[in-house]
Amino acid sequence: MKKINWYPPVILGLLALLVLTFGALVVSRSTQEQQITTLENTGQQTFEWKLVTTWPKNFPGLGSAPERFAKKIDEMSNGRLKIKVYGAGELVPAMGVFGAVSDGAAQVGHGAAYYWKGKIPAAQFFTAVPFGLNAQEMNGWLHYGGGLQLWEELYAPFNLIPMAGGSTGVQMAGWFNREINSVADLQGLKMRIPGLGGDVLNRAGGTAVTIPGGELYTALQTGVIDATEWVGPYNDLAFGFHQIAKYYYYPGWHEPGSILEIIINKTAFEKLPKDLQAIVRTAARDANQDMLDEYTARNNRALKELVEQHGVELRKLPDDVIAHLKTINDQIMQETAAKDPQFNRVYKAFKEFESQVIPYHRISEEAYYETRDRETGI
């Protein structure tokens, strides 16, 4: 029997397989290149925006939120929308953010709505209301209680679109270089405290001033002010207020759930394609929740360090002082609502939501806290 030599056919077969595989790869690569070329030829634009803030650049919590916002947008858009972040004073002054974004000098801003009370008194509702909603409740009101729609209506005449851009949670009452033992101690107190809380202090006999965060240390150190509220332990430790102030008071009656804002120039926003608009809104919601998570985690450790390592004297404001401030706040809210239709409309909506959420939270959140405290003994 004649022996068959299988080697030539096998070799030929392998060569044919290699040719087919190479051909498939060439076709595949050609298709990918064609897809990329097609994508480039669809006219998809890239956008470059400027973001200005009222905070020092990269300041913990407040300053890191706009950085996260910009980074998330870059990642989700695959680089189609890039945002450069400027800290307070780098491009515009800290209190110039609203005007810069409204005019289009920058496309985005990060700050707090109560800074613009001179332009829109009702804007203060969208940062914090003394003795009002906490962070969880504020987010509920904004996103599921009609609050955001009211906010958008207020900002529309200024060519701005507002979005919640972070929350600090309940703040501290602040740092004081004099003791507060009674209502009388509020007389003549010069304190950095913005928004509605500042109006309350003024009527209580003090003097409220608004100073950007970057100037607070020097103002308190030199006696320009007697006291300052800023945020809470996480930020206050970073600013070093414990080095120049004697007393650290709580609770933060003036800002029980402070919301920060992202404001966007409406003209610039409407130039974005729909998918990028959705990415911007999604990134804002992410930044909003992430900031609250960060403060919830960081404040605990910072307070422990302030008290145990730096010897900070932690004090609770007297009950009669709190009661007095609440009475004044109620008067101011009602008086302002009576003379300002915009303020009145938002006030009614805010109080309506508050009337629904507080009763439930009494039997849910508050009841649980009481149970937990009783059982754990912490």
Side-chain angles (χ1 to χ4, degrees):
M1 184 178 194
K2 186 176 180 181
K3 187 176 180 180
I4 300 174
N5 186 354
W6 296 99
Y7 292 110
V10 169
I11 292 172
L12 289 174
L14 289 173
L15 287 172
L17 181 60
L18 287 172
V19 169
L20 289 172
T21 302
F22 180 75
L25 289 172
V26 169
V27 171
S28 175
R29 181 174 179 82
S30 175
T31 302
Q32 291 175 1
E33 290 177 348
Q34 183 178 0
Q35 289 174 344
I36 293 171
T37 303
T38 302
L39 182 63
E40 291 174 348
N41 291 336
T42 58
Q44 283 191 326
Q45 291 179 271
T46 58
F47 300 83
E48 293 184 3
W49 280 6
K50 298 174 184 176
L51 190 160
V52 291
T53 80
T54 60
W55 330 114
K57 188 171 174 61
N58 290 315
F59 186 72
L62 301 177
S64 60
E67 302 285 351
R68 177 184 175 87
F69 173 72
K71 182 179 179 182
K72 282 289 181 181
I73 288 175
D74 184 34
E75 292 173 349
M76 289 191 289
S77 70
N78 196 28
R80 290 166 56 207
L81 175 55
K82 292 186 176 295
I83 300 177
K84 184 173 181 178
V85 180
Y86 296 86
E90 289 187 330
L91 195 61
V92 299
M95 297 304 160
V97 169
F98 188 96
V101 181
S102 176
D103 295 341
Q107 291 78 21
V108 196
H110 192 268
Y114 62 12
Y115 288 145
W116 330 127
K117 60 181 287 187
K119 300 177 184 292
I120 318 171
Q124 297 173 96
F125 282 96
F126 302 99
T127 300
V129 173
F131 304 99
L133 303 177
N134 66 17
Q136 182 179 344
E137 294 161 347
M138 280 290 289
N139 279 324
W141 177 56
L142 289 175
H143 298 128
Y144 288 94
L148 183 58
Q149 287 75 16
L150 291 168
W151 198 1
E152 290 172 344
E153 289 175 21
L154 287 180
Y155 278 28
F158 298 89
N159 197 36
L160 293 172
I161 298 173
M163 302 175 190
S167 179
T168 64
V170 181
Q171 297 196 1
M172 294 289 286
W175 297 86
F176 293 71
N177 273 326
R178 54 196 266 190
E179 294 182 79
I180 305 297
N181 295 317
S182 68
V183 170
D185 293 323
L186 299 175
Q187 297 296 317
L189 180 75
K190 193 170 184 180
M191 181 177 182
R192 185 271 183 190
I193 176 170
L196 291 163
D199 294 338
V200 173
L201 179 67
N202 284 334
R203 189 168 296 190
T207 301
V209 296
T210 300
I211 301 174
E215 301 173 19
L216 288 179
Y217 186 95
T218 301
L220 189 59
Q221 183 184 42
T222 58
V224 171
I225 54 177
D226 305 308
T228 184
E229 65 79 42
W230 179 232
V231 179
Y234 179 37
N235 284 155
D236 295 351
L237 176 63
F239 264 168
F241 291 135
H242 59 280
Q243 300 167 359
I244 54 173
K246 295 181 179 179
Y247 310 107
Y248 198 24
Y249 278 95
Y250 73 95
W253 58 274
H254 62 300
E255 296 196 37
S258 303
I259 293 289
L260 287 306
E261 68 175 6
I262 290 170
I263 50 175
I264 300 176
N265 180 276
K266 186 178 180 181
T267 302
F269 186 76
E270 290 178 345
K271 288 180 180 179
L272 297 178
K274 295 297 183 182
D275 64 326
L276 289 186
Q277 291 181 6
I279 284 172
V280 169
R281 291 189 182 277
T282 300
R285 289 291 286 268
D286 171 79
N288 185 54
Q289 184 61 50
D290 183 77
M291 183 188 288
L292 182 58
D293 297 345
E294 183 178 5
Y295 276 101
T296 300
R298 307 294 188 217
N299 275 330
N300 313 305
R301 283 178 285 181
L303 181 61
K304 185 178 177 67
E305 181 177 338
L306 284 168
V307 173
E308 296 182 1
Q309 296 183 30
H310 299 292
V312 166
E313 190 168 338
L314 185 63
R315 292 191 176 187
K316 184 178 184 296
L317 286 172
D319 291 342
D320 63 328
V321 171
I322 291 291
H324 183 62
L325 294 171
K326 188 176 188 309
T327 298
I328 293 174
N329 178 69
D330 292 343
Q331 293 171 352
I332 289 174
M333 298 292 285
Q334 292 167 16
E335 291 171 8
T336 310
K339 64 184 180 183
D340 185 328
Q342 270 191 338
F343 191 98
N344 184 49
R345 184 173 178 224
V346 181
Y347 176 62
K348 286 182 175 179
F350 185 92
K351 296 300 286 186
E352 173 63 24
F353 185 83
E354 186 180 62
S355 71
Q356 297 172 20
V357 73
I358 287 179
Y360 175 67
H361 274 179
R362 284 199 183 110
I363 65 168
S364 58
E365 303 293 328
E366 292 179 36
Y368 170 68
Y369 294 154
E370 291 175 4
T371 300
R372 182 177 64 182
D373 292 346
R374 184 171 59 249
E375 295 300 323
T376 61
I378 297 176

